[in-house]
Amino acid sequence: MTSSPTRPLFAALTAFALLALTGCGASETIEDTANASAGDGATQYPLVIENCGTEQTIESAPQRVVSLDQNSTEILLSLGLEDRIVGTASWTDPILDSLAEADEGVPRLADNAPSYEVLLGADPDFVTASFGRHYAEGGVTTRDRLDETGISSYLSPTDCDNGQSINGGGTRTTALTVDALYTEIRELAEIFDVGAAGEELVADLEERAAAATDGVDFGGRTVMFWFADTKTPYVAGGLGSAALLADQTGLGNIFDDTDDWPAKGWEDVVDAAPDILIVGDLQRDRFPGDRLDDKIAFLEGDPLTQTLEAVQQDRIIALHGAEMNPSIRFVDGLEKIQAWWVENGDDL
């Protein structure tokens, strides 16, 4: 979740805005690309992937994949791979409208994390995850254990720093860049032998991100990104995924001196007095205040938070949880921030 210096993460986006691409709409499924990489540029197997401190050898394009997170599921669906997904898990939000039809036949193993037995019951030959907690001790299973059963695995590069999973117990030391997300898309496309679909998806995201940030500049107005939990708010720090949103729109994160997603006290928030609140509307009930209505009720009813000018002036932007995570939906988040800016920017 930012630091005040402008990060290099979206440096290439302005150039891509000049390309005038005609890609799909909001994070849409790429049509008719399931075999797009056949012929020239087709994946050569066995494929060896260096992935967050592990080496994975993919003997052939996976046919039965389980995705342990919504983020990776929506990438796979966007690549046209719904027929190969035998299970998904860990959802914070409804599926994108543009992917709803593709998702209809995909089994959901669990709304949160499945058990190892449930995972094996889907009979996967490949497992993906956006967050390394699933592969940590006490999670779904370890990658070593999957290797022992002949199942290859993949972890999003957005959750990796110096060969360790951030969400699995590591520490982020360098700012997350959008290139990590694009690497994930391209690597999954290569693994599944749909390289052209991967390039088309990346180009579409680049074009939309450039358009969503064109002319948007909050001029350093301060912001708090609140993901979850009313008791001890889980907020965006300075090096993680929300930094992708703040840096590109000229927002200054009040917690940009922290590494990723710290837990803070409300006293810290009130002392910092953010100009704007960006809050997560999570369609789950894992922590108190996951849902937007509960967050708003808390902000307006708590004696401490109701003193915030951002609350009193209703300077609140609601994003889905997936739009605050390092996923293809970061573009949807940028577009919502842009829409709020167009309507309210002159009043700041």
Side-chain angles (χ1 to χ4, degrees), residues 66-69 87-91 107-122 127-129 133-135 138-141:
V66 166
S67 169
L68 293 175
D69 287 294
T88 72
S90 299
W91 287 74
R108 184 172 297 194
L109 304 182
D111 289 336
N112 294 306
S115 67
Y116 179 57
E117 292 73 21
V118 168
L119 171 66
L120 286 188
V127 175
T128 70
R133 67 176 179 269
H134 297 304
Y135 295 141
V140 178
T141 185

Side-chain angles (χ1 to χ4, degrees), residues 218 314-317 339-348:
F218 282 83
D314 194 27
R315 295 199 293 264
I316 298 172
I317 305 173
W340 193 92
W341 164 261
V342 170
E343 184 173 348
N344 301 282
D346 290 341
D347 297 328
L348 289 175

Side-chain angles (χ1 to χ4, degrees), residues 7-37:
R7 304 195 190 285
L9 34 122
F10 281 94
L13 290 179
T14 302
F16 277 101
L18 302 176
L19 294 180
L21 299 170
T22 55
C24 301
S27 305
E28 293 176 358
T29 305
I30 307 301
E31 298 294 339
D32 299 322
T33 52
N35 298 306
S37 65

Side-chain angles (χ1 to χ4, degrees), residues 93-293:
D93 305 291
I95 187 75
L96 280 165
D97 289 344
S98 58
L99 297 175
E101 183 177 354
D103 184 59
E104 283 181 356
V106 175
R108 184 172 297 194
L109 304 182
D111 289 336
N112 294 306
S115 67
Y116 179 57
E117 292 73 21
V118 168
L119 171 66
L120 286 188
D123 191 26
D125 59 8
F126 189 74
V127 175
T128 70
S130 302
F131 301 113
R133 67 176 179 269
H134 297 304
Y135 295 141
E137 293 292 341
V140 178
T141 185
T142 64
R143 301 186 77 175
D144 287 342
R145 194 174 185 185
L146 288 172
D147 285 341
E148 291 170 1
T149 57
I151 301 172
S152 299
S153 61
Y154 184 84
L155 176 64
S156 171
T158 63
D159 189 43
C160 191
D161 190 308
N162 294 317
Q164 292 187 319
S165 164
I166 307 306
N167 197 258
T171 300
R172 194 179 295 282
T173 59
T174 56
L176 177 68
T177 72
V178 73
D179 288 340
L181 173 64
Y182 294 157
T183 294
E184 177 179 10
I185 293 170
R186 289 184 167 115
E187 287 185 338
L188 287 173
E190 183 180 21
I191 288 167
F192 285 89
D193 196 15
V194 291
E199 292 304 320
E200 188 176 349
L201 177 58
V202 169
D204 176 57
L205 294 172
E206 288 172 329
E207 181 191 14
R208 288 178 54 215
T213 55
D214 185 26
V216 178
D217 186 359
F218 282 83
R221 292 283 186 173
T222 56
V223 64
M224 178 190 76
F225 290 89
W226 178 22
F227 193 82
D229 204 335
T230 55
K231 295 179 181 178
T232 307
Y234 185 53
V235 299
L239 299 180
S241 54
L244 308 184
L245 307 178
D247 289 350
Q248 279 304 105
T249 54
L251 285 164
N253 187 351
I254 62 171
F255 296 122
D256 65 0
D257 59 345
T258 59
D259 57 8
D260 204 353
W261 285 95
K264 289 288 185 177
W266 285 113
E267 294 82 1
D268 297 325
V269 177
V270 172
D271 288 345
D275 299 311
I276 298 164
L277 303 178
I278 295 182
V279 302
D281 183 12
L282 282 60
Q283 299 303 298
R284 66 177 195 186
D285 296 296
R286 186 178 174 192
F287 295 106
D290 271 350
R291 297 173 184 265
L292 177 63
D293 288 348

